[in-house]
Amino acid sequence: GFAYKVSLRVLKCLGVVSDWVQKMYMQTMLEILRQTAIEASCVNFHCTKERVARWLLIRTDRLGENVIETTHHTIAECIGVRREGVTNALSKMPGVYTSRSHIEVLDRSVLMQESCECYRAHAQPLSRQMTLPFGVQSSSSWAARTMTVVGAH
């Protein structure tokens, strides 16, 4: 997707005059709250092996590849467990190859069976999609011209 850089002054003006900016802000906040709630539930109800599998699936989804360059310590910090727990979980996890600072997901379907239902909940996007307001309203089109694209993939 695209990322836009907007000055704070322009953003404050947009929030006052543009329903689109307010909706985008609220949608972003709802998504952050939703993911936080999923994470909190996962920490309380699922074992380390399920959480490691979920973390690996989410990372490979975001990276777009099946190789993750990370350490067991980093994963442990991200999911709130001891490093030894991550090492133990990975050693018993089929479909995953590990070596020093290198994890490769060989079989996503096996990993999905190992993960908890939180992965499927996390992978579900919000039902509403925001689109850029180019040319939709006069207030929105001037706002869109003040944004600069800073990246796309």
Side-chain angles (χ1 to χ4, degrees), residues 29-95:
M29 293 308 300
L30 286 172
E31 180 62 16
I32 290 169
L33 288 171
R34 185 181 75 87
Q35 289 181 13
T36 302
I38 291 169
E39 182 66 28
S41 297
C42 193
V43 166
N44 287 314
F45 297 110
H46 299 119
C47 69
T48 300
K49 187 175 181 181
E50 292 172 320
R51 290 163 55 196
V52 168
R54 178 185 59 87
W55 189 90
L56 291 173
L57 287 166
I58 290 170
R59 289 305 167 268
T60 56
D61 288 348
R62 289 181 181 168
L63 293 171
E65 57 185 53
N66 290 332
V67 176
I68 303 170
E69 300 295 332
T70 191
T71 63
H72 296 185
H73 178 76
T74 301
I75 297 171
E77 286 183 338
C78 289
I79 65 172
V81 299
R82 293 173 24 139
R83 183 207 43 86
E84 294 82 1
V86 172
T87 301
N88 188 35
L90 285 170
S91 70
K92 296 176 182 177
M93 198 171 294

